[in-house]
Amino acid sequence: MSGSVEASGDGSIAAGGSIRQALTGDGAVAHYVETSLTLPPEALELPPEAPSNMVNLPRASGLFIGREQELARLDSAFEDTGGVVVQAVHGLGGIGKSTLAAKWAAGRTGSYNPVWWITAETPDDLEAGLADLAVALQPALRDVLSTQARSERAVRWLAEREGWLLVLDNVSDPADVRQLLGRTTGGRFLITTRRASGWHGIAEPLSLDVLELPQAVELFGRINSGTAEGVEELCVELGCLPLAVEQAAAYCAEARITPDAYRELLARRPERVFASTAEGADGEQTIARVWRVTMDRLADTPVAERVLRIIAWWAPDGIPRAYLEPLADAPDVTEALRRLAAHSMISLREDGTLSVHRLVQAVARASEGAEETYDEAARLLVVQGLPCEDDAVWISHVATLIGYFDMGRTPPEIWALVPMYFGDHAPTPDKAIEMYERALERAEGAPGRRSRVTVVVRRRLADCCWTAGDHDRASQLLAKNLAATSMVFGHKAPETIETGTALARLQLQLGELNNGLSRASISARHAERTLGEDSAEALRAHAVMAEGWRLKARAKPRRFARRAVTEIERLLEKAVRAQGEAGEAALHLMWTLGEVRETAGDLAGAIRVTEEYLDKRPVPDDGADTQGLLARERLDGLLRKAGEPDEPAIGD
């Protein structure tokens, strides 16, 4: 025995050296077991090449349809020689990414060796798949090395060789495969993933879309050879999503129901339909479960699921991002949209809109608390309808929304706004007035005479009445609106100021010069104090004031012409401070000032202002300078008039 050892206590043993068995006085036995591991010689070296025809791919289903363009793009991408080539096929869950990858890889078994499929949803899945590859390369290692050691061995083999093809299926995060891709210098990777972003610098992305309608119908027919009636309509309802079409076709065949009957089930119980599959099929590969996995990954971004459940009630395309701004702070909404797009749940467009697959919407509508999100989706449309930038887009989303519940569920504001927007596009003024009157009747009933919606509808009706020549009614409607906006928003609110300015302009056109000028002055004063001299409302009110003084000067030049010049010059100074000498407001006042100076008999001043107007105003890009021609015509007239014997100026 060597060394110093000690033991104390009942039944204790101390040993130094190579004792294999010890017996204590109380009969207890202690064993020391020594194990050894003998590695086969081939474990010390990597195999120089793979066994011939080494293929590991999913069994072909025989259901592959179309995708000629995508297959051609993969052919072209993998023709590149030298270095590693990585393609990442991305798209919505159930769109057929894995089917496309399997189809393409199956046709390349004569060009690459090995052709190896690895399910890579998690880092552990990837490691296990690489370990299996190592065993396929060297079967003797199966029970000798750990999973991690075998995985590392496979990576080393790939890094030192070319001519192989690895399919990494259902990668959740580009970071999970970044290290593997970085260590290889040759060979080919074909990746399938729901992640649309994050591949910059490591893979070339290839976006996969839904099937064309004829292809979707063909896919349904390959699974279900029953009646073709209603198949096309069902495929449209399913958005031509391959997984949904396969699921529907198999269910119809097994349940012996028609496509129309399936559509009825889909309308009544979508949550049951999307979670159901035919007997013997993969229960995890249903629409509801496939997308639930994605939403679970977005659990740390709660606004994302909220967005998805709200847009489920709108039209699937052309959803303005602005509609979602009231949901949360701008960074939170942006992050939610970014992550939804990154996981292929929505598509973000360059025009500021987003799109969502109609089946994603259907699954979201079938989730718990759907009616509450319907109410929120309706409220957001009400906010955007006062008025919105593109009313045709708004109408498309409202039309989709109101198709899901009866009128009692839809906010009354919606029912007031809808005819208003149809009034905007009415073929005749009489038809427009009819639609606006219907909208106003609904709005005054609910939500009420002084609501924001009622104010908007009443204003549209007033404008239409004025255009149709019913000036008195237009004036009465605007006067009601002014009282309503003062009560609802306050007399200094932008809505009230704008209404007052509009009423003032109408009063001037009706010849009520004192009332119109007084009303415009009040609007201008409130706008300057509340919003600032450079605000749009203040400048609009100034323009109406200038028009009022112009009309008064024309009506009674000896009494008001010089006062009008002074007042308009004061307004012009404010416009120049707000927008500069070439600003639209300044140019408008300059034009008005020239006319009023002429009315006052100050031809030299009128000529000077008109010349300045011509010098400052920009020339339109299209060359159609109508206003410039009018200004030159005015200047010519003034010059001719100035050449005649001078007439005494008013007041001289």
Side-chain angles (χ1 to χ4, degrees):
M1 190 178 255
S2 62
S4 175
V5 295
E6 296 181 359
S8 63
D10 295 340
S12 63
I13 298 175
S18 57
I19 293 176
R20 292 184 178 275
Q21 186 177 47
L23 186 64
T24 66
D26 57 6
V29 179
H31 292 273
Y32 169 74
V33 180
E34 192 177 78
T35 62
S36 62
L37 178 65
T38 303
L39 294 176
E42 59 265 30
L44 302 177
E45 296 182 0
L46 294 171
E49 60 184 22
S52 61
N53 299 320
M54 184 175 156
V55 177
N56 173 44
L57 290 173
R59 183 174 62 86
S61 68
L63 294 176
F64 190 84
I65 302 289
R67 304 300 197 191
E68 289 82 4
Q69 291 184 354
E70 291 82 357
L71 291 171
R73 284 184 61 183
L74 290 176
D75 286 341
S76 176
F78 284 112
E79 282 176 358
D80 294 342
T81 59
V84 67
V85 178
V86 186
Q87 287 281 309
V89 179
H90 65 86
L92 182 65
I95 211 163
K97 303 179 292 295
S98 300
T99 304
L100 175 71
K103 175 68 174 180
W104 187 86
R108 301 300 176 277
T109 56
S111 304
Y112 302 103
N113 192 44
V115 176
W116 200 259
W117 185 282
I118 295 176
T119 299
E121 188 168 359
T122 68
D124 288 343
D125 291 338
L126 176 60
E127 183 178 76
L130 290 168
D132 290 343
L133 172 60
V135 171
L137 290 166
Q138 292 177 288
L141 302 182
R142 180 181 302 278
D143 299 320
V144 174
L145 299 180
S146 67
T147 300
Q148 182 178 6
R150 282 183 277 133
S151 173
E152 173 61 25
R153 194 168 181 83
V155 175
R156 285 176 51 207
W157 189 90
L158 295 169
E160 296 177 10
R161 285 156 185 81
E162 297 182 351
W164 46 262
L165 169 65
L166 249 64
V167 181
L168 304 180
D169 184 45
N170 203 23
V171 174
S172 300
D173 190 335
D176 294 343
V177 297
R178 187 180 297 273
Q179 184 179 21
L180 170 61
L181 302 181
R183 290 182 61 182
T184 53
T185 57
R188 302 291 185 262
F189 286 101
L190 178 55
I191 295 171
T192 72
T193 178
R194 297 175 199 169
R195 286 292 298 271
S197 60
W199 299 105
H200 178 72
I202 62 173
E204 185 68 25
L206 169 62
S207 177
L208 193 62
D209 206 345
V210 297
L211 294 172
E212 298 292 335
L213 180 57
Q215 296 171 345
V217 171
E218 181 183 350
L219 176 60
F220 189 98
R222 287 195 186 181
I223 301 170
N224 185 342
S225 58
T227 177
E229 186 177 354
V231 173
E232 186 170 312
E233 291 79 2
L234 175 57
C235 289
V236 170
E237 185 79 14
L238 298 173
C240 296
L241 188 75
L243 178 58
V245 173
E246 290 181 27
Q247 185 177 329
Y251 193 91
C252 287
E254 189 170 79
R256 296 292 191 271
I257 62 173
T258 65
D260 287 338
Y262 189 89
R263 287 179 63 200
E264 291 178 9
L265 288 174
L266 192 61
R268 293 203 307 267
R269 297 298 299 274
E271 72 283 359
R272 290 277 299 275
V273 173
F274 289 130
S276 301
T277 187
E279 295 295 327
D282 186 352
E284 294 301 315
Q285 291 300 306
T286 64
I287 294 298
R289 294 181 187 181
V290 165
W291 292 341
R292 188 66 258 171
V293 169
T294 299
M295 293 313 300
D296 287 344
R297 291 179 186 144
L298 297 174
D300 58 343
T301 309
V303 178
E305 183 161 3
R306 190 176 170 202
V307 165
L308 208 57
R309 295 176 68 182
I310 286 172
I311 64 177
W313 301 104
W314 298 342
D317 299 306
I319 302 172
R321 294 174 69 154
Y323 283 20
L324 300 168
E325 289 176 357
L327 286 179
D329 292 338
D332 292 335
V333 173
T334 301
E335 177 65 5
L337 295 178
R338 182 194 71 79
R339 296 207 66 200
L340 285 169
H343 285 80
S344 301
M345 298 301 282
I346 64 172
S347 297
L348 298 177
R349 310 299 184 189
E350 293 183 357
D351 62 359
T353 66
L354 60 100
S355 300
V356 57
H357 194 280
R358 63 180 65 227
L359 285 194
V360 174
Q361 293 180 297
V363 172
R365 289 195 301 269
S367 60
E368 185 178 354
E371 291 189 7
E372 287 72 15
T373 56
Y374 174 90
D375 294 340
E376 189 167 16
R379 285 194 296 271
L380 289 173
L381 287 181
V382 169
V383 171
Q384 295 300 328
L386 301 173
C388 57
E389 185 175 341
D390 190 332
D391 53 7
V393 169
W394 186 86
I395 277 291
S396 71
H397 295 300
V398 167
T400 303
L401 176 90
I402 63 179
Y404 291 112
F405 286 101
D406 59 25
M407 188 171 177
R409 187 85 199 183
T410 306
E413 293 91 340
I414 293 287
W415 294 105
L417 287 166
V418 167
M420 182 187 78
Y421 281 106
F422 282 115
D424 288 350
H425 298 279
T428 64
D430 288 343
K431 186 64 176 178
I433 288 175
E434 178 186 340
M435 297 303 296
Y436 291 139
E437 286 175 337
R438 183 184 305 174
L440 183 59
E441 181 181 359
R442 290 177 176 177
E444 289 183 336
R449 294 176 177 273
R450 294 174 179 172
S451 75
R452 182 187 295 266
V453 171
T454 306
V455 166
V456 173
V457 174
R458 193 184 287 124
R459 174 60 183 276
R460 296 289 180 93
L461 178 57
D463 291 343
C464 195
C465 287
W466 175 263
T467 302
D470 192 350
H471 299 163
D472 289 338
R473 189 182 183 195
S475 178
Q476 293 169 4
L477 289 166
L478 280 181
K480 283 186 177 180
N481 252 16
L482 183 59
T485 54
S486 297
M487 292 291 294
V488 175
F489 309 113
H491 67 281
K492 294 183 179 180
E495 294 87 348
T496 305
I497 295 170
E498 192 279 334
T499 301
T501 301
L503 178 58
R505 184 183 295 110
L506 192 150
Q507 288 172 328
L508 292 177
Q509 292 170 335
L510 288 174
E512 301 174 11
L513 302 186
N514 290 333
N515 289 339
L517 186 55
S518 174
R519 172 54 56 193
S521 299
I522 293 172
S523 292
R525 185 165 62 252
H526 287 163
E528 290 175 4
R529 292 176 180 175
T530 306
L531 307 173
E533 281 190 0
D534 59 347
S535 66
E537 290 301 338
L539 295 175
R540 275 195 288 267
H542 293 163
V544 176
M545 288 179 65
E547 176 65 9
W549 282 113
R550 184 189 72 83
L551 292 173
K552 293 192 76 168
R554 175 191 289 181
K556 297 181 179 180
R558 291 184 176 276
R559 183 174 179 183
F560 293 115
R562 286 198 173 278
R563 171 77 184 276
V565 168
T566 301
E567 293 294 338
I568 295 174
E569 284 180 336
R570 180 177 62 84
L571 296 173
L572 178 58
E573 290 176 1
K574 292 182 178 182
V576 171
R577 285 198 299 269
Q579 293 184 341
E581 293 181 336
E584 182 179 350
L587 290 171
H588 177 79
L589 291 171
M590 208 177 292
W591 176 269
T592 305
L593 179 60
E595 182 177 342
V596 173
R597 280 191 174 279
E598 180 182 5
T599 301
D602 182 6
L603 294 179
I607 291 170
R608 184 174 63 255
V609 170
T610 305
E611 289 176 336
E612 186 176 358
Y613 175 86
L614 281 166
D615 180 60
K616 300 296 183 184
R617 71 183 305 276
V619 177
D621 294 334
D622 59 6
D625 191 9
T626 305
Q627 191 64 25
L629 291 174
L630 291 175
R632 289 182 178 86
E633 184 179 350
R634 171 187 282 185
L635 181 60
D636 288 343
L638 289 170
L639 291 172
R640 286 196 303 271
K641 192 173 182 179
E644 299 174 358
D646 290 340
E647 296 181 4
I650 294 174
D652 288 348

